[in-house]
């Protein structure tokens, strides 16, 4: 996809280092609004897992795939009970892995849920998910990050447009686009309760973001992300070309999306929570190194080591 030169004050910028194919958190607006993606989107084959050739083609073209009814009602009910138990665990309150909403003390996200809960660990290791991840990534996956986005009724705020890979590259040191997110909707997703919105096809370009990474950025970004958010002119151009899609539907649906697909969500305007659980599968040979655009790596509950357990130092 050729990058147009958007009309704005364009200043030639030099990437941080020639070794970094995806320079971001730049000091000023780059000359080109985006760079071409280097890695193939789908690395595995149709006969290597549960996804059909058509499903892999859709994922490759659009950067995401929604499978309604992935989990049955009983599985969803058990996970919802487990989610509520985690949300109501007093000792998790005030811990770094528990993120509250920007304007209230309501829980926004809980990270490392596959280490906090045997039930969610079992789901993270479910062959139906691992099989899909292995097929898309074309190699052995590990869980880079897990989280429940709870999005409570009325108080659950949105998430600005962003590429997860942009953050994981800049702040966690993820080298290449060889990761996929699996999001399972635990409560019905409607147009009015802040479903995940995606820009189909946006995964094929890398949008450098302006603004250097602040110290301990995650303490701010997980509540309201301002740094690592593409500029409005670039977003407007990509949305003009590709539109916006928001898969809605009953709890139990699975949304697989590429690490670089631009996504965001609105606030929850309904009285009930809109909760999703996410597992991020990264390819083992793509394990995180030193951050590409931050002075210090983030805590392990945000970026797990492929061969290390994690536990809250409760
Ligand atoms: O910083 C992160 O890792 C998280 N931030 C967002 C908005 N999405 C991905 C991830 O959970
Ligand atoms: Fe995200």
């Amino acid at each position: 996809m050729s990058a147009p030169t958007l009309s704005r004050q364009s200043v030639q910028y030099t990437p941080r280092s020639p070794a970094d194919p995806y320079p971001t958190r730049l000091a000023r607006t780059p000359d080109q609004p985006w760079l071409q993606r280097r890695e193939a989107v789908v690395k595995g084959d149709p006969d290597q897992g549960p996804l059909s050739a058509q499903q892999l083609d859709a994922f490759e073209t659009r950067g995401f795939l929604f499978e309604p009814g992935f989990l049955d009602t009983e599985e969803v009910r058990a996970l919802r009970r487990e989610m509520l138990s985690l949300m109501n665990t007093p000792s998790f309150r005030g811990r770094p892995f528990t993120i509250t909403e920007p304007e209230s003390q309501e829980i926004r996200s809980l990270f490392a849920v596959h280490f906090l809960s045997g039930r969610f660990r079992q789901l993270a290791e479910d062959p139906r998910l691992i099989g899909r991840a292995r097929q898309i990534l074309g190699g052995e996956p590990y869980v880079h990050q897990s989280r429940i986005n709870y999005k409570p009724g009325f108080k659950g705020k949105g998430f600005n447009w962003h590429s997860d890979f942009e953050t994981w590259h800049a702040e966690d040191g993820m080298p290449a686009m060889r990761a996929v997110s699996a999001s399972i909707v635990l409560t019905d997703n409607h147009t009015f309760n802040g479903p995940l919105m995606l820009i189909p096809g946006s995964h094929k370009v890398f949008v450098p973001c302006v603004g250097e990474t602040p110290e301990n950025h995650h303490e701010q970004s997980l509540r309201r992300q301002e740094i690592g958010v593409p500029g409005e002119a670039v977003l407007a151009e990509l949305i003009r070309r590709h539109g916006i899609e928001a898969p809605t539907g009953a709890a139990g649906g699975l949304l697989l999306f590429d690490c670089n697909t631009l996504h965001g969500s609105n606030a929850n305007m309904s009285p009930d929570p809109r909760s999703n659980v996410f597992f991020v599968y990264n390819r083992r040979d793509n394990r995180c190194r030193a951050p590409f655009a931050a002075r210090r790596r983030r805590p392990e509950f945000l970026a797990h080591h492929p061969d290390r357990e994690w536990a809250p130092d409760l």
Side-chain angles (χ1 to χ4, degrees), residues 105-220:
Q105 283 311 307
E106 295 273 338
I107 293 183
R108 177 178 173 91
S109 303
L110 189 66
F111 281 87
V113 293
H114 66 300
F115 283 120
L116 294 174
S117 151
R119 186 74 195 76
F120 279 109
R121 177 153 194 160
Q122 189 184 20
L123 182 59
E125 296 172 353
D126 189 308
R128 294 170 292 179
L129 286 182
I130 297 277
R132 284 165 167 79
R134 195 179 290 119
Q135 193 176 13
I136 288 171
L137 299 178
E140 205 47 39
Y142 73 94
V143 178
H144 163 71
Q145 181 183 101
S146 73
R147 69 192 184 277
I148 291 172
N149 281 350
Y150 187 60
K151 199 171 276 194
F154 294 132
K155 292 193 173 55
K157 300 304 174 205
F159 291 76
N160 287 331
W161 287 111
H162 65 282
S163 152
D164 291 340
F165 175 76
E166 191 276 343
T167 289
W168 298 335
H169 181 71
E171 301 189 52
D172 297 336
M174 185 183 282
M177 296 179 185
R178 295 194 178 101
V180 59
S181 285
S183 168
I184 294 172
V185 288
L186 298 176
T187 57
D188 295 352
N189 271 223
H190 307 283
T191 52
F192 50 73
N193 65 355
L196 196 69
M197 302 180 294
L198 304 111
I199 302 175
S202 61
H203 62 306
K204 297 210 172 177
V205 294
F206 179 75
V207 181
C209 295
V210 178
E212 312 235 322
T213 307
E215 281 294 310
N216 299 321
H217 180 225
H218 62 280
E219 290 170 1
Q220 162 58 32

Side-chain angles (χ1 to χ4, degrees), residues 62-77:
R62 293 152 52 79
F64 62 91
L65 174 70
F66 185 59
E67 294 185 71
F70 175 71
L71 297 181
D72 66 35
T73 317
E74 191 33 52
E75 285 179 300
V76 173
R77 208 173 285 140

